[in-house]
Every structure is written in structure tokens, then in C-alpha cells.
Amino acid sequence: MNEYDSDYLAQSLINYGLSAVDNPNNADIILINTCTVRAKPQQKALSMLGRISAIKKRRPELIFCIAGCLAQEMGVRLFERFPDLDLIMGPRDIGKFYEILDSLITGRKKVIITDTGSAPPDPVRCSGFFNGRISGNISIMVGCDNFCSYCIVPYVRGREISRFPDAILSEARNMISAGIKEITLLGQNVNSYFWNKETNFPSLLHKMGTLDGLYRVRFTTSHPKDMSDELIKCFGEKESILCPHIHLPFQAGSNRVLEKMRRGYTREKYMDLVYRLREVEPDIAITSDVMVGFPGESSSDFELTLDLIKKVQFDSLFSFKYSDRDGTLASKMDNKVDESEKVLRLGILQDLQKQITLGKNRSLEGKKMSVLVEGISRKGGYPNFSGRTASNKVVNFSCDSNMIGHLVNVEIKEGMNNSLKGEIIL
Ligand code: SF4
């Protein structure tokens, strides 16, 4: 979501007549888009603000801005800590950035705007911005109404609002005309997307499937409690461009912890969803988020998390240590787990998942898979190109640059920890 917001802000800056520079020391405007979902990104953002403050001290004409969830959470306190800041802007206000730029550039006034009730912005049109990209993101809704007890998102991104479907489709057409072949629909909880009786999330997926030139559609993130039968069925539809991959955060394997987290489902309900998804699409890749060390998490609760991981056999996992977020219910709970215990549990969990991911990747050796060629491999060297399977696995292989943006068939030769190696089948 932050990448999408950053793209939006970058397009606003370009439309204003500005262009990107490689070095912050040469910039006229620096805008830092921030995340505060865990303590670590917050610390990173604060240290970056310190570094930019030092540049601003040397060059007072620099316009220094912060956007995103940390801006929303800390608000005016950021002016106290970083008096050189010119703009503090919450994530719901990015649609106003273009207008604000005027007062920043011409009026040199400090601005703070943190209105969590703002409607989602209309897409900006910045000619050429997506050229050369194969995949793109579209936000279909903003905010979250769930208030999981550990999570700060509903406080900083406000209540859920779904976007007008025609605006989403028009944004998609614009991306497709720039060469984008794969679109990921974004939201904190996409499966609660609702516009009217005729347009819920599954029907939006069907509409995306009618767009000429689009090869694949994905979505993230979905909440297990809102996973409908109608959405599960979408994965079984033949000729659909919906990719066989779902990111379905489970967070914990113990019902006692899930209840304290206010997640609204049990481990049994989660396992049933996994069963039903695999029933309609046996090859579906399932990835998830999990947290260790939630307040009061005992070693037997943690064992239940490991047990769920073993039973589900996720393709990959994003795993984190719990950290207190100010203002959330969990931050006020007793029985916090020691940091050293959290580190230990995270290590055990990650080792387990590493084995499972490797096993899953190795099981693909010898299979022929359709891969969307994205570009030159990030690792460089041989094989020189990379792309992703519909199940979202990264594959490295050799091919010509004129194949970028095309679907090719690749035979998987080797499954590794984080990626696959293959050979193109001509
Ligand atoms: S569903 Fe829960 S974890 Fe996800 S953004 Fe909303 S409150 Fe946070």
C-alpha cells in the first residue's frame, strides 16, 4: 500500500514539473513516505528524518516533507522533534498533495494535514510513469474497520472506504496501455470491498478479467474472517486471469491468542479455509503473516503456531516479533513476552518455514510453468532474467530482452530457498 501511495506522490511531483534526482543532497524537495505498522520501520523513518534534517540545516531552501502512517500517528509532535519539517501529511490526504505543493513552494508555509476521514483520491495521470513496468498495484479501498488488538492501522489509515469500481477499471486500463500485464488489487482487507449489491469483491475480480491486454490479476491482503464461498470459487474458475495465490494472514495458531488478538476466527476455521481453497485449486500457493511473542503467548501457544505451520505447509511466511504500538489494546496488556524469548521463537519458526519453503520449491523441479518475464535478474550473472509464476514464485532463467512482458513456458530445474532456477521451453 505504501508503494502505491509513493507512486501516487511521485506522479504528483512530476505533474507539478519536478523531476527525480539521484542524490538527496541535490534535491529541492524531499518527501519521506513512512510506515508505522511495527517498531522497526518507525525507527528507520525517524533516523532518516534525522539525516534529512541535517541536509536542511545546510540548505534551508530545501522543502522537507513527511507523509504516511508515522506522519498520521505522531502529527504535530514531529514538528517539535524535527522543527525543519515543512509538511506533515497523513496517508488519507495524499490526494491533496498537488495543491499543498503550491503553498509549500510559493508560500513557504508549514502545513500539517492528518484527516483520516478523507475519501480515496482519484488516480493521477502522469504520462510515461509506468513505462517499462510489467506489474502494477491499484488500491481498491482504504482504511480498516477491524481493530485487531495489536494493530495501529485503523487509527492511522481510518475507516474502510471502497473506491468506485469504474475509477479502479479506468486506472487499470491506463496501466495496461503503459504496458503493465499484471495488476495486484490492494487494500488492508480486500475481501470486504463493497460498492453496491452488484459490485462486491468477487464481481470486481470478474470485471478485471474482462480487460483486454491484462494477463494476470492478484490481490492482497485478505482477512480470513471475511473469506466468502463466492471468493473461494473464483480460484476454481477455468479461463480466469486470477492467479492461484492467496496471502491469508493467520497471525497465531492458538485460539486463546487469536481471541486476545480479536481476529474473529479460530485455528479450525482457518484450517477449513485452507482445505476449501485447495479443494477448488489444488495448486494454489498460500502465504501468510504470523507474529510471535504476543502478550501472554505461552510456549504451548507457540507450539500450536508451529503445529499450524506444519499442517498448512505455507509456500512462504512473513514472520515478525510482536511490538507494542501506542494506543492499541495489546500495548496495555500484561504478561509481555521477553525480547530474548521472542527472538528465540522467531528463529525456531523461521527455520521450520525455511525447510517447508525449500521442500515446496524442490517439489516443482521438472515441472513446466508459465512465467511472466519481468526483467533482468536482480542477482545479475547467469541466468540473466527473472519472472514470476502465477503462484508468485520468482524464477531465474536465460532469455532475450524482447521477451520482457511476455508469458513464457519454463521448465523448473532447481528449487532453492527463495527462488527457482529454470530453462525456457521454446
Ligand atoms: S485486519 Fe487487523 S491486522 Fe489487518 S490492518 Fe486491519 S486491524 Fe490491522
Side-chain angles (χ1 to χ4, degrees):
M1 188 63 92
N2 266 21
E3 280 179 29
Y4 175 83
D5 290 349
S6 294
D7 278 350
Y8 186 98
L9 294 164
Q11 290 176 87
S12 303
L13 287 164
I14 294 166
N15 283 348
Y16 198 86
L18 296 154
S19 56
V21 289
D22 293 334
N23 185 332
N25 288 303
N26 302 331
D28 298 315
I29 294 185
I30 297 180
L31 167 72
I32 303 171
N33 192 23
T34 58
C35 171
T36 188
V37 72
R38 289 176 294 119
K40 201 168 165 186
Q42 173 166 337
Q43 284 150 9
K44 279 188 180 178
L46 289 171
S47 94
M48 169 80 88
L49 286 169
R51 291 201 295 280
I52 306 301
S53 280
I55 299 179
K56 169 107 180 177
K57 286 204 168 45
R58 290 198 305 276
R59 293 181 43 228
E61 71 282 9
L62 171 70
I63 297 172
F64 177 22
C65 316
I66 175 171
C69 294
L70 183 61
Q72 182 70 41
E73 190 204 350
M74 290 188 69
V76 75
R77 284 180 292 148
L78 281 165
F79 278 145
E80 288 157 20
R81 190 155 167 188
F82 301 98
D84 296 314
L85 266 172
D86 295 298
L87 169 68
I88 297 171
M89 178 173 63
R92 285 291 275 265
D93 299 302
I94 60 172
K96 299 167 194 144
F97 183 52
Y98 189 88
E99 294 160 36
I100 296 169
L101 269 173
D102 243 355
S103 31
L104 287 176
I105 291 172
T106 55
R108 304 297 302 189
K109 287 194 197 109
K110 282 184 185 290
V111 179
I112 175 162
I113 177 163
T114 50
D115 177 4
T116 51
S118 302
D122 287 329
V124 270
R125 294 259 185 268
C126 178
S127 169
F129 187 79
F130 291 106
N131 289 359
R133 293 200 201 179
I134 305 303
S135 313
N137 299 318
I138 297 182
S139 163
I140 61 165
M141 59 191 300
V142 291
C144 181
D145 291 348
N146 285 314
F147 289 92
C148 300
S149 64
Y150 53 83
C151 183
I152 198 166
V153 168
Y155 303 95
V156 290
R157 285 198 176 259
R159 300 290 79 73
E160 277 175 13
I161 301 184
S162 295
R163 282 183 64 205
F164 183 39
D166 287 355
I168 296 169
L169 295 170
S170 139
E171 194 170 348
R173 280 189 205 99
N174 185 39
M175 285 182 164
I176 296 164
S177 66
I180 281 183
K181 308 288 189 210
E182 176 182 294
I183 290 178
T184 302
L185 303 179
L186 301 175
Q188 253 70 45
N189 184 14
V190 285
N191 41 8
S192 65
Y193 175 88
F194 181 84
W195 184 252
N196 58 24
K197 280 205 306 286
E198 285 78 45
T199 314
N200 60 7
F201 186 55
S203 56
L204 181 66
L205 286 175
H206 289 135
K207 285 183 181 158
M208 291 292 293
T210 64
L211 297 174
D212 279 345
L214 186 62
Y215 294 175
R216 291 174 169 177
V217 63
R218 305 180 183 277
F219 60 84
T220 195
T221 289
S222 25
H223 196 304
K225 81 173 168 49
D226 296 319
M227 195 74 194
S228 66
D229 290 342
E230 195 187 356
L231 181 55
I232 292 174
K233 263 194 220 147
C234 291
F235 285 103
E237 285 165 10
K238 302 285 165 233
E239 314 300 324
S240 163
I241 62 165
L242 176 62
C243 288
H245 169 222
I246 186 161
H247 187 73
L248 194 61
F250 77 99
Q251 305 297 3
S254 148
N255 286 339
R256 198 180 71 84
V257 173
L258 285 171
E259 198 178 338
K260 286 178 74 182
M261 287 178 164
R262 298 189 156 199
R263 289 289 288 171
Y265 55 86
T266 59
R267 66 180 270 131
E268 291 76 18
K269 163 102 195 276
Y270 187 90
M271 298 286 294
D272 181 56
L273 286 174
V274 169
Y275 174 80
R276 287 195 284 140
L277 283 161
R278 287 185 172 146
E279 203 175 31
V280 295
E281 173 48 275
D283 291 330
I284 194 166
I286 302 179
T287 56
S288 193
D289 295 338
V290 57
M291 184 186 301
V292 298
F294 185 80
E297 181 191 70
S298 65
S299 48
S300 45
D301 291 322
F302 176 60
E303 287 301 324
L304 284 166
T305 294
L306 296 179
D307 181 67
L308 190 144
I309 293 170
K310 285 179 200 153
K311 289 200 164 100
V312 173
Q313 299 278 303
F314 293 102
D315 287 76
S316 67
L317 271 180
F318 291 99
S319 47
F320 307 97
K321 289 179 287 167
Y322 165 84
S323 56
D324 277 339
R325 310 313 295 131
D326 280 350
T328 59
L329 274 177
S331 68
K332 299 182 193 89
M333 289 179 184
D334 298 331
N335 294 323
K336 296 278 161 59
V337 177
D338 282 350
E339 189 61 22
S340 58
E341 184 61 26
K342 284 194 250 177
V343 171
L344 190 74
R345 288 181 190 176
L346 188 65
I348 295 170
L349 186 153
Q350 289 180 337
D351 282 347
L352 169 65
Q353 183 57 43
K354 213 166 153 184
Q355 293 309 314
I356 294 173
T357 300
L358 182 62
K360 288 226 153 205
N361 288 349
R362 284 192 177 149
S363 74
L364 297 173
E365 290 172 4
K367 293 230 159 85
K368 295 173 182 56
M369 306 187 86
S370 174
V371 173
L372 180 60
V373 186
E374 292 183 336
I376 293 171
S377 169
R378 277 205 241 162
K379 286 185 183 161
Y382 176 88
N384 52 353
F385 281 82
S386 79
R388 274 179 304 147
T389 64
S391 55
N392 212 28
K393 296 195 187 279
V394 174
V395 190
N396 294 300
F397 51 97
S398 292
C399 71
D400 293 330
S401 56
N402 60 10
M403 285 177 172
I404 292 175
H406 291 272
L407 287 169
V408 295
N409 288 319
V410 172
E411 182 173 339
I412 304 305
K413 294 292 181 188
E414 191 181 348
M416 294 172 296
N417 280 331
N418 301 311
S419 61
L420 307 168
K421 221 184 247 184
E423 270 176 22
I424 201 160
I425 307 165
L426 294 171

